[in-house]
Amino acid sequence: MSDTFQPDLDFEAARGAVETGEALIVDLDGYEGPLDLLLALARSQKLDLLQISIARLADQYLAFVREARRRRFSLAADYLVMAAWLAWLKSRLLLPRPRRGPDDAGADELAEHLAFRLAKLDAMRKAAESLLARPVLKRDVFARGDPEEARIVSTTRVCGDLYELMDAYITQRKREARRNYTPRPQQAFSLEAARERLRDLLPELQRWTPLTGVAPMGAGGGPTRASFVASTLSASLELVREGDLEARQLEHFAEIYLRRKRAA
Amino acid sequence: METHEEGETERMVEALLFAAAEPLSLVDLARRLPEGADVPAALAGLAARYDGRGVRLAEVAGRWRFQTAEDLAFLMTDEREEPRRLSRAAQETLAIVAYHQPVTRAEIEAVRGVQASRGTLDMLLELGFVRPRGRRRTPGRPVTYATTDTFLEHFGLASLADLPGAAEMKAAGLLDLDLPPDFAVPDPSAARDDDAPLGDEAAPEFHTDYVGDEG
Amino acid sequence: METHEEGETERMVEALLFAAAEPLSLVDLARRLPEGADVPAALAGLAARYDGRGVRLAEVAGRWRFQTAEDLAFLMTDEREEPRRLSRAAQETLAIVAYHQPVTRAEIEAVRGVQASRGTLDMLLELGFVRPRGRRRTPGRPVTYATTDTFLEHFGLASLADLPGAAEMKAAGLLDLDLPPDFAVPDPSAARDDDAPLGDEAAPEFHTDYVGDEG
């Protein structure tokens, strides 16, 4: 539809509306967008929104926009887009009806749609009013102020709350994003040290001894226990290869046992 | 004449509802009562008994509670909580969600004709009146929103069918979300979903003799 | 025969006592009622009206309140099945499982920045929101967790694809601008399924790293 937009506003029409004595209060702060403004104008024209004259509504709107411009109010782009569209629509409404192509929506139809859309917004506005006019809990009606100690509560309520779930999730992700990592350099138990230590321990490994018992426990600042175990394992495998040690494991994930290889 | 059992069931329901901290469903009540108790009959009896009293029986969100009579609201100064004021945008958004649910953000914006400002929907979510409900099975799979039981309880509605004026609006076609395909009012907020027509595109029938809801 | 005024005063006293957070004295009631109201008469009327009902009017230390009839006290001891509200920790853990599934305990802890207490995940498992799903094909073969159908039902979701994503979080005002630009919320419905099924311990695939992740 964009090719049908007229770049210039139809100010003649606007002037006409002003001359017909439409009272205009130009206060854009009060309106939430062009549709809201149109609704206010339409309401001043007729109570039944489906009966309003769209051509006249277009005049009123254009006059409003023109007045706003004259007073150098800055108008948001969507007000101007609406103005251009209404000017175009009005010109189409006034023209003798051209032969319509199959894809060409008639101007009358568009005008009806606009009226319908205004009626829809109006309906929602009234719905909001009638909702707020209902007896509201803790404003108009009040539940028991002092329920029994042994709480009688509903058990059929769904307490899962997606919003809370989203909130819980995002709170953590934010925390995670803000967390400052100061990774401490990993201290590893070097293979050399492990070998040396294991060689020193060899005389004591007369019986099958669990690897976890052979590896240093690790405490305080030094290498982690995992590092001690891993390096001790690697060192023990090297000693096995060199023929000084035997290793055995009964099944996967089971404890590994080490024993000094007996002289042949 | 009611039987002894009926009278006893009514007393028990009365006691439970007085003691409850929140509205109770039929299932909640039945679970606490002797087997075979006719809970609906007891509720009907209580509703009649409390009719016109200072306290009355109300159905909200499919559950039952006693509440003070509306005409005595003026007495309740100590209990009244100043409700968080809803902005006009929030009120309208709430109404649109209530009457059109499930509804997407884009659809809310289409009815209001403006982009939803940040803070409008979140406030309703935070107040617990509105919840994300699912996703529309359309391109982009936008999230849909619906109202909660808290909403119904707050506004004293037994169910969504009791929304004021809903039947009339529906009959007038005012609750249809499907805009006709040739509907071309420029809509800045429509940029984001310009090629995702929702649902069926049958053009609504327009009658110029609609009875306006004010006339 | 009571007069209209007497009837009205009785209604007001009924409403006030019902909504009050604590028992009210004659003075309390008189202060909140229209001037000249006969409070003692209204209390006497109410006491008679509630005589034999499931609730009765009781005087406690010179103050008045409604309370459950003595013979129905047994109804009030029923405390089973309180809706369990999830603790914040459980809520957070559940959220991570939901968005990052399948996820290991270590990965949950990495996001939360704290050690997941054993109890939190156990509680979610017990509530049926979370289930063990498989084993990650990494050293140590840690168990991965995922959400259940119960979770979906409880939160009113048709499928995992209906979990609100980053766009909806943003719309709900939950995402700030100060998050890193590469911030993303995973789509659990698109998660790759390359975990080993649970209970295939018989087929060892690892020979080099069976020392496990002690420490």
Side-chain angles (χ1 to χ4, degrees):
Chain A
M1 285 316 278
S2 57
D3 56 330
T4 55
F5 281 164
Q6 273 188 193
D8 297 319
L9 301 184
D10 186 352
F11 286 119
E12 285 310 311
R15 192 163 301 129
V18 170
E19 281 158 10
T20 58
E22 301 284 358
L24 270 186
I25 304 149
V26 178
D27 176 17
L28 275 178
D29 287 345
Y31 298 103
E32 296 194 14
L35 207 59
D36 188 26
L37 169 57
L38 274 174
L39 180 56
L41 293 170
R43 269 178 159 178
S44 71
Q45 190 185 114
K46 221 173 188 134
L47 281 185
D48 184 351
L49 294 173
L50 297 170
Q51 304 274 358
I52 54 169
S53 155
I54 293 294
R56 196 162 144 231
L57 183 63
D59 287 343
Q60 288 175 305
Y61 184 91
L62 293 171
F64 185 103
V65 167
R66 187 167 172 271
E67 179 66 11
R69 286 191 142 188
R70 194 182 64 76
R71 300 204 199 166
R72 302 191 186 282
F73 285 129
S74 61
L75 278 177
D78 44 352
Y79 283 92
L80 299 178
V81 172
M82 178 64 88
W85 184 81
L86 282 173
W88 168 82
L89 178 64
K90 195 196 159 213
S91 68
R92 290 281 299 265
L93 285 169
L94 297 179
L95 281 175
R97 187 157 310 178
R99 187 148 308 195
R100 278 216 251 153
D103 303 330
D104 190 11
D108 290 339
E109 218 172 302
L110 288 177
E112 276 172 3
H113 290 166
L114 177 59
F116 189 69
R117 205 173 156 186
L118 291 173
K120 207 164 153 63
L121 178 60
D122 193 50
M124 284 302 105
R125 202 156 280 176
K126 288 190 182 121
E129 281 164 20
S130 46
L131 267 183
L132 289 169
R134 289 192 56 81
V136 167
L137 190 64
K138 288 182 180 167
R139 188 191 73 187
D140 306 307
V141 297
F142 299 84
R144 186 75 197 274
D146 184 22
E148 295 281 328
E149 290 292 315
R151 277 178 29 101
I152 303 292
V153 293
S154 175
T155 55
T156 54
R157 285 169 84 88
V158 177
C159 59
D161 183 332
L162 257 187
Y163 180 72
E164 274 180 19
L165 191 74
M166 283 157 66
D167 185 40
Y169 178 74
I170 217 64
T171 309
Q172 299 177 87
R173 293 297 305 277
K174 284 179 190 164
R175 230 167 30 215
E176 181 193 30
R178 289 195 193 111
R179 217 179 297 145
N180 287 321
Y181 287 105
T182 45
R184 261 169 294 170
Q186 284 282 340
Q187 284 188 48
F189 184 43
S190 79
L191 196 51
E192 285 313 305
R195 275 183 63 111
E196 228 164 89
R197 184 170 172 281
L198 202 55
R199 282 221 172 272
D200 290 347
L201 285 176
L202 269 182
E204 295 169 33
L205 296 176
Q206 299 291 346
R207 306 169 148 216
W208 287 113
T209 312
L211 169 70
T212 50
V214 175
M217 286 314 288
T224 62
R225 167 75 171 158
S227 174
F228 277 127
V229 173
S231 296
T232 303
L233 175 65
S234 300
S236 67
L237 293 176
E238 286 188 15
L239 293 195
V240 168
R241 198 180 55 210
E242 290 163 15
D244 295 327
L245 194 70
E246 289 179 292
R248 161 173 102 166
Q249 186 186 29
L250 291 177
E251 57 181 357
H252 292 292
F253 299 109
E255 183 72 82
I256 295 167
Y257 288 90
L258 304 175
R259 188 173 68 172
R260 178 184 181 180
K261 180 123 178 189
R262 298 187 181 171
Chain B
M1 188 61 201
E2 70 181 6
T3 66
H4 177 69
E5 277 90 324
E6 281 168 7
E8 276 304 294
T9 303
E10 199 184 299
R11 286 185 71 224
M12 289 187 224
V13 172
E14 185 181 34
L16 284 169
L17 288 177
F18 253 75
E22 54 188 315
L24 298 180
S25 68
L26 287 177
V27 174
D28 292 327
L29 290 165
R31 193 177 289 157
R32 292 190 169 79
L33 293 173
E35 206 148 329
D38 189 345
V39 182
L43 287 167
L46 281 176
R49 185 180 293 274
Y50 279 89
D51 187 36
R53 304 292 313 154
V55 169
R56 64 176 205 88
L57 187 63
E59 186 187 358
V60 289
R63 297 186 166 74
W64 297 83
R65 74 174 174 217
F66 279 115
Q67 65 186 33
T68 58
E70 290 163 38
D71 66 309
L72 299 180
F74 71 97
L75 283 176
M76 303 296 162
T77 45
D78 289 12
E79 287 79 18
R80 183 165 302 128
E81 281 178 15
E82 218 34 69
R84 210 163 139 187
R85 273 207 80 73
L86 292 179
S87 68
R88 209 177 92 195
Q91 289 174 22
E92 272 176 36
T93 303
L94 182 59
I96 293 167
V97 174
Y99 284 77
H100 290 82
Q101 60 189 297
V103 65
T104 66
R105 173 178 286 262
E107 288 159 357
I108 297 170
E109 290 173 348
V111 174
R112 296 198 62 227
V114 281
Q115 290 224 7
S117 71
R118 287 186 70 125
T120 306
L121 203 51
D122 9 323
M123 184 179 168
L124 296 173
L125 286 160
E126 204 185 300
L127 283 169
F129 288 160
V130 165
R131 66 187 169 92
R133 184 168 171 281
R135 285 178 190 275
R136 179 79 20 102
R137 308 260 175 257
T138 50
R141 300 175 47 73
V143 167
T144 57
Y145 296 92
T147 53
T148 60
D149 282 354
T150 306
F151 163 79
L152 293 174
E153 285 170 22
H154 187 81
F155 291 101
L157 295 163
S159 73
L160 289 175
D162 296 311
L163 282 170
E168 295 88 328
M169 287 182 206
K170 199 176 166 68
L174 290 169
L175 298 186
D176 294 342
L177 281 173
D178 304 331
L179 293 175
D182 56 353
F183 189 70
V185 173
D187 183 352
S189 65
R192 300 186 305 157
D193 63 342
D194 49 1
D195 54 3
L198 295 165
D200 91 66
E201 304 199 353
E205 297 164 7
F206 287 97
H207 302 288
T208 44
D209 57 353
Y210 272 138
V211 178
D213 49 346
E214 259 189 311
Chain C
M1 189 64 205
E2 71 182 5
T3 67
H4 178 67
E5 278 88 325
E6 279 166 10
E8 275 305 294
T9 304
E10 199 183 301
R11 286 184 73 226
M12 292 182 198
V13 172
E14 186 179 31
L16 283 171
L17 288 177
F18 174 83
E22 51 190 4
L24 298 179
S25 68
L26 283 177
V27 175
D28 294 331
L29 287 165
R31 177 177 61 79
R32 297 178 63 176
L33 290 170
E35 208 154 328
D38 187 347
V39 183
L43 285 168
L46 271 183
R49 185 180 292 274
Y50 279 90
D51 185 38
R53 302 295 313 153
V55 170
R56 65 182 200 84
L57 189 61
E59 185 185 357
V60 188
R63 290 164 183 274
W64 297 81
R65 71 160 185 225
F66 283 116
Q67 65 182 38
T68 309
E70 280 80 356
D71 65 312
L72 298 181
F74 73 94
L75 288 171
M76 304 300 147
T77 55
D78 189 346
E79 279 184 285
R80 69 195 151 169
E81 281 192 77
E82 278 209 32
R84 279 166 91 165
R85 266 204 103 62
L86 293 177
S87 67
R88 184 73 189 174
Q91 183 99 251
E92 289 181 1
T93 303
L94 181 59
I96 294 168
V97 175
Y99 281 97
H100 291 260
Q101 60 189 294
V103 64
T104 67
R105 181 182 285 268
E107 288 160 355
I108 296 172
E109 289 171 356
V111 176
R112 295 208 58 215
V114 284
Q115 289 242 341
S117 71
R118 294 263 151 198
T120 307
L121 201 53
D122 290 346
M123 190 182 131
L124 293 173
L125 286 160
E126 196 190 307
L127 283 170
F129 287 156
V130 166
R131 66 190 165 91
R133 183 167 172 284
R135 285 183 183 277
R136 183 67 38 88
R137 294 182 197 275
T138 53
R141 300 170 52 72
V143 170
T144 57
Y145 296 92
T147 53
T148 61
D149 286 350
T150 307
F151 164 81
L152 293 177
E153 280 164 31
H154 197 75
F155 286 89
L157 295 166
S159 72
L160 278 180
D162 291 323
L163 259 186
E168 290 78 36
M169 292 182 181
K170 195 169 174 180
L174 291 170
L175 286 186
D176 303 338
L177 298 171
D178 57 349
L179 282 169
D182 58 346
F183 183 84
V185 172
D187 176 2
S189 63
R192 287 176 312 134
D193 182 13
D194 50 7
D195 283 352
L198 277 177
D200 69 340
E201 317 302 275
E205 293 159 81
F206 299 99
H207 302 288
T208 48
D209 47 20
Y210 41 58
V211 178
D213 54 351
E214 280 180 76

